[in-house]
Amino acid sequence: MYAQVVEGSGKGAKATEDMTPEERAFQQKIDSGQKIEPKEWMPDGYRKTLIRQISQHAHSEVVGQLPEGNWITRAPTLERKAILLAKVQDEAGHGLYLYGAAETLGISRDEMYEQLHSGKAKYSSIFNYPTLNWADIGAIGWLVDGAAIMNQVALQRTSYGPYSRAMIRICKEESFHQRQGYDIMMKMCNGTEAQKAMAQDAMNRFWWPALMMFGPPDADSVHSAESMAWKIKINTNDELRQKFVDQTVPQAEYLGLTIPDENLAWNEEKGSYDFTDPDWDEFFQVISGNGPCNADRMRARVRAWDDGEWFRDGLSAYAEKHSAGNTNQGVENV
Amino acid sequence: MKADSDLFEFLLRMGDNTLVLGHRVSEWCGHSPVLEEDIALANVALDLIGQTRMWLDFAGDVEGKGRDADALAFRRDVWDFRNILLVERPNGNFGDTLMRQFLFDAWYHAILSRLAGSSDDRIAAIAAKAVKEAAYHLERSADLVVRLGDGTTESHAKMQAALDDFWPYTGEMFAADTIDTSLTSRGVIPNLAEVRDEWDETVNRVLADATLEIPDGTYQHKGGKQGTHTEHLGHILTEMQFLQRAYPDASW
Amino acid sequence: MSREWPLWEVFIRGQHGLSHRHVGSLHAPDAEMAIRNARDVYTRRNEGVSIWVVKAVDITATSPGEKGPLFEPSNDKIYRHPTFFNIPDEVGAM
């Protein structure tokens, strides 16, 4: 998902008998469906895991502006341009809400940026793939946002209050994103031969990275149990991946697109599709910095931040000079 | 009909200004100095693109050849564009972008508030809607120019350099040609000298607050309104029109 | 790293007649810019008619530890709620 490989406390889920009284009360609260709010007591591991997860999610939104932003100046009509711009603007907003949620846990946005820019913090692997033709914008909305929404809808019920509220707001706003993507795909698939070819090309390139968004297979996902006990992860990676495939296959069929998986087949017995696992070696390469666009994405973000320093400082300096608390100003105003 | 071609030209000028400036502003998407600015700037670009559709759709109707806003935006070449040179100037640093925006907003707001009383009902309606958006853009860009001008030594120097750069591109906004004077006499558009007075007042006040100095030089570039552009516009169009040009039979 | 802009909490009145409600936070160098940023960030979909911003550090809050003594005493004041009183149906709405 937008937070694919979140390291936990390293201890796994604790058995009730191993918990301190505080931890037990905390766990009971979560089990009974109550929300944890910023100033309340929480285990250190919960706080740290949440900071990692929420900031990864926020970074993904912010870096996620880049592949789509790549087509804003080339959008084919004024309406498509406006829609895409509004969508990318939403991603920035979602990044902002999530940074805000993480800030309630005692980390500043600048510190999180620092972690992103230094390569310490991760973001979703999907945004390290390039957008090469216009149908990619459709494919991102349809497949990538489609995959993200599955996780985000569930996360509205997460145990941490500010995170849950940010997710509720995000889900409300995201509802148009997937539909606009599918709308582009429909237009392309009903269009000229060249447009159909673009759509299939986008499908071929985004299918596997979209499956990787849900993170590694459950068997290799070492931190899941703890995060699920804390309700900061609601479904397992494999559950969501299966759900995504089952939902997407008929949508692809409707478009007349071929999913690039020879083994994709309906399994009557289990009532869902069988499909090939994505190439996990590729996934771990991309996550660790070797994807096709990692270097470009980071360079763009670092440059935006560095080039903007004089701007941020200029506004801080003005605010300081003119603040109501400034004695000179106060005297003048009297 | 002569009268219609004047109106057509004027609508292209308005729509091409917002189209090209909207394009420039949207280039920042994902690259601004701070997330809040990214979001704010995207709002400005969205407003400008929305206004482009209104101006150019009307232009297409006036022309009467069946072209809509998209046909005009994506299928004309450089010499048919009527935007002022200011809006096609490259983004530069964030301060350059804000200064260009402010100089434009101060003019755009001044002309829109008068166009809301145009003798042409459709222009009056478009202007009445756009003027609210432009008022917010102006408030925002003026305030940022003041803050950065009166911020640090570095931000002051950057804003002064931006002003020096763009100043010779401001005169074109008020240089009335026969199209302008004819439309003014018909009550369709205001007298550009009046617009200039308001612009001068706004710009002098804001730049004084910003502790910035208006450059001495009086030379002013022109030509954009008549279709003679800088080299930059060709590159903007190459990018903007790519899909429509490469796949002319496709619908999007 | 230079100093970060302060954090502001944002409250929006969604419709006339409703109270302002907390919607989230953002960064801005001062109150005036916080208001403008809030307009751009939190009312992109026509969500508000009025905005308040408060510096996050200026908010004084109850601490979670005081929850019991602060809020539980009102639990047994059930006579403060209208359903405590039985009014015969024939009296009509009250």
Side-chain angles (χ1 to χ4, degrees):
Chain A
M1 206 39 52
Y2 281 3
Q4 293 160 310
V5 188
V6 181
E7 279 175 49
S9 68
K11 298 184 188 108
K14 260 192 188 177
T16 315
E17 56 270 25
D18 297 335
M19 290 180 181
T20 65
E22 271 170 325
E23 288 171 340
R24 202 169 304 156
F26 176 81
Q27 190 61 50
Q28 273 166 2
K29 214 171 155 187
I30 288 181
D31 293 343
S32 70
Q34 287 184 65
K35 299 287 181 216
I36 308 300
E37 294 297 340
K39 287 184 173 166
E40 293 171 12
W41 185 88
M42 58 185 82
D44 204 39
Y46 177 85
R47 180 187 301 275
K48 285 185 176 153
T49 309
L50 257 184
I51 288 178
R52 272 194 291 264
Q53 178 171 330
I54 300 174
S55 64
Q56 265 190 43
H57 195 156
H59 296 327
S60 298
E61 298 280 358
V62 167
V63 177
Q65 291 183 88
L66 299 172
E68 289 179 285
N70 183 37
W71 278 90
I72 289 174
T73 54
R74 289 179 289 170
T77 68
L78 293 170
E79 187 176 60
R80 292 282 180 207
K81 194 189 283 286
I83 294 169
L84 181 58
L85 191 54
K87 176 172 188 277
V88 179
Q89 182 196 39
D90 276 349
E91 317 289 0
H94 299 170
L96 191 149
Y97 307 158
L98 288 161
Y99 283 128
E103 283 176 279
T104 62
L105 290 160
I107 185 169
S108 73
R109 196 199 292 177
D110 278 9
E111 284 173 275
M112 289 184 269
Y113 272 152
E114 169 59 30
Q115 292 173 354
L116 174 68
H117 297 158
S118 68
K120 195 180 153 216
K122 294 185 167 55
Y123 57 90
S124 179
S125 58
I126 192 76
F127 301 118
N128 291 313
Y129 290 89
T131 50
L132 302 177
N133 81 56
W134 172 250
D136 288 9
I137 300 307
I140 287 185
W142 170 39
L143 299 174
V144 174
D145 290 320
I149 286 165
M150 297 204 141
N151 191 42
Q152 292 176 346
V153 165
L155 277 175
Q156 294 181 103
R157 291 182 284 119
T158 186
S159 62
Y160 189 56
Y163 192 22
S164 156
R165 291 190 284 274
M167 279 340 294
I168 289 169
R169 197 177 178 90
I170 288 171
C171 284
K172 208 159 100 194
E173 298 187 353
E174 284 258 344
S175 55
F176 95 85
H177 292 185
Q178 193 188 8
R179 294 171 75 107
Q180 69 86 33
Y182 200 71
D183 184 62
I184 290 177
M185 295 310 272
M186 286 197 295
K187 198 82 183 169
M188 301 296 279
C189 291
N190 290 319
T192 63
E193 285 310 308
Q195 284 175 300
K196 287 178 194 164
M198 286 183 214
Q200 185 61 53
D201 177 51
M203 176 92 224
N204 293 348
R205 281 180 291 105
F206 276 96
W207 174 252
W208 301 110
L211 292 187
M212 293 177 198
M213 286 179 69
F214 299 94
D218 293 346
D220 303 336
S221 187
V222 282
H223 310 292
S224 277
E226 183 182 62
S227 287
M228 290 182 89
W230 281 336
K231 280 196 196 158
I232 57 183
K233 183 175 177 124
I234 310 290
N235 306 93
T236 74
N237 298 352
D238 289 337
E239 268 168 27
L240 286 176
R241 196 170 5 253
Q242 182 70 56
K243 200 172 157 202
F244 173 75
V245 171
D246 293 344
Q247 173 188 294
T248 307
V249 172
Q251 294 169 350
E253 280 168 0
Y254 180 83
L255 293 171
L257 292 175
T258 308
I259 291 176
D261 180 358
E262 287 176 2
N263 301 318
L264 186 81
W266 178 253
N267 182 326
E268 193 63 55
E269 209 171 300
K270 66 169 186 171
S272 61
Y273 283 91
D274 289 331
F275 58 95
T276 310
D277 247 10
D279 176 354
W280 293 115
D281 288 339
E282 176 182 319
F283 169 74
F284 285 109
Q285 284 296 336
V286 176
I287 276 285
S288 59
N290 296 322
C293 299
N294 294 60
D296 291 340
R297 302 288 185 245
M298 263 317 95
R299 200 169 295 135
R301 287 309 311 164
V302 170
R303 205 182 126 190
W305 186 247
D306 290 349
D307 288 357
E309 187 172 12
W310 72 269
F311 170 84
R312 297 188 299 273
D313 288 350
L315 294 188
S316 293
Y318 178 91
E320 237 156 74
K321 272 190 241 180
H322 296 265
S323 72
N326 183 314
T327 11
N328 295 332
Q329 191 69 28
V331 171
E332 278 170 31
N333 287 347
V334 173
Chain B
M1 265 193 319
K2 181 74 173 70
D4 276 1
S5 90
D6 283 349
L7 185 58
F8 177 63
E9 286 286 316
F10 172 74
L11 293 168
L12 289 183
R13 289 173 181 183
M14 297 305 279
D16 289 346
N17 278 337
T18 52
L19 174 62
V20 174
L21 186 59
H23 179 99
R24 279 296 191 216
V25 173
S26 75
E27 288 174 5
W28 275 104
C29 201
H31 304 276
S32 299
V34 64
L35 217 37
E36 283 80 355
E37 280 303 316
D38 236 327
I39 295 167
L41 216 50
N43 275 341
V44 173
L46 279 171
D47 288 343
L48 292 172
I49 293 166
Q51 292 166 18
T52 301
R53 292 171 72 185
M54 296 193 287
W55 292 123
L56 292 187
D57 272 335
F58 188 17
D61 290 347
V62 169
E63 186 194 36
K65 291 183 184 166
R67 294 202 282 184
D68 62 4
D70 281 336
L72 289 168
F74 294 96
R75 301 288 179 98
R76 280 178 301 151
D77 208 336
V78 169
W79 52 79
D80 285 329
F81 270 73
R82 296 291 181 261
N83 59 281
I84 53 174
L85 302 179
L86 175 71
V87 295
E88 68 196 48
R89 304 300 299 160
N91 281 343
N93 64 42
F94 206 69
D96 293 321
T97 292
L98 291 171
M99 181 58 80
R100 182 187 62 200
Q101 189 71 39
F102 165 65
L103 296 170
F104 176 83
D105 289 342
W107 167 78
Y108 194 45
H109 181 260
I111 194 168
L112 283 177
S113 54
R114 287 168 175 77
L115 285 173
S118 168
S119 63
D120 183 293
D121 290 345
R122 191 157 163 193
I123 288 184
I126 295 173
K129 177 173 189 306
V131 73
K132 289 180 204 145
E133 296 169 348
Y136 182 74
H137 299 174
L138 176 60
E139 182 192 314
R140 201 180 156 274
S141 62
D143 183 56
L144 286 170
V145 163
V146 169
R147 286 165 182 267
L148 293 168
D150 190 17
T152 59
T153 316
E154 187 185 4
S155 71
H156 176 86
K158 282 199 157 67
M159 296 314 281
Q160 185 64 53
L163 180 60
D164 295 350
D165 257 9
F166 290 127
W167 191 255
Y169 293 94
T170 54
E172 194 184 1
M173 299 189 276
F174 315 102
D177 60 9
T178 54
I179 294 169
D180 293 315
T181 48
S182 150
L183 290 172
T184 300
S185 68
R186 288 166 51 194
V188 176
I189 70 168
N191 186 334
L192 294 187
E194 258 177 55
V195 178
R196 160 126 235 173
D197 289 342
E198 182 176 332
W199 185 85
D200 276 337
E201 196 274 318
T202 308
V203 167
N204 286 333
R205 174 172 45 81
V206 169
L207 294 180
D209 286 350
T211 71
L212 297 173
E213 295 200 11
I214 292 175
D216 290 333
T218 53
Y219 182 76
Q220 293 292 332
H221 297 280
K222 55 181 186 298
K225 279 166 74 168
Q226 291 79 27
T228 308
H229 292 273
T230 66
E231 291 178 348
H232 302 290
L233 185 61
H235 293 282
I236 291 177
L237 298 188
T238 302
E239 198 172 333
M240 184 167 79
Q241 300 179 337
F242 160 66
L243 285 170
Q244 292 253 4
R245 299 290 199 177
Y247 305 95
D249 52 344
S251 111
W252 306 94
Chain C
M1 198 190 294
S2 28
R3 216 156 33 80
E4 189 168 6
W5 291 349
L7 186 68
W8 301 77
E9 299 297 334
V10 181
F11 301 80
I12 291 185
R13 186 200 299 287
Q15 290 169 35
H16 290 291
L18 296 184
S19 313
H20 285 75
R21 190 165 154 251
H22 183 242
V23 293
S25 61
L26 49 73
H27 289 271
D30 64 17
E32 197 190 335
M33 279 201 66
I35 287 275
R36 269 214 313 272
N37 288 347
R39 179 264 189 199
D40 282 319
V41 172
Y42 287 103
T43 66
R44 300 197 301 286
R45 286 171 173 77
N46 208 4
E47 293 99 332
V49 295
S50 162
I51 300 173
W52 288 349
V53 292
V54 187
K55 241 188 212 173
V57 295
D58 289 340
I59 292 181
T60 308
T62 56
S63 86
E66 295 168 327
K67 209 149 97 181
L70 280 181
F71 306 117
E72 274 164 29
S74 64
N75 282 355
D76 61 358
K77 315 274 192 309
I78 46 173
Y79 43 79
R80 285 188 185 277
H81 299 278
T83 46
F84 178 75
F85 305 95
N86 284 320
I87 305 290
D89 285 347
E90 48 271 39
V91 178
M94 187 178 285

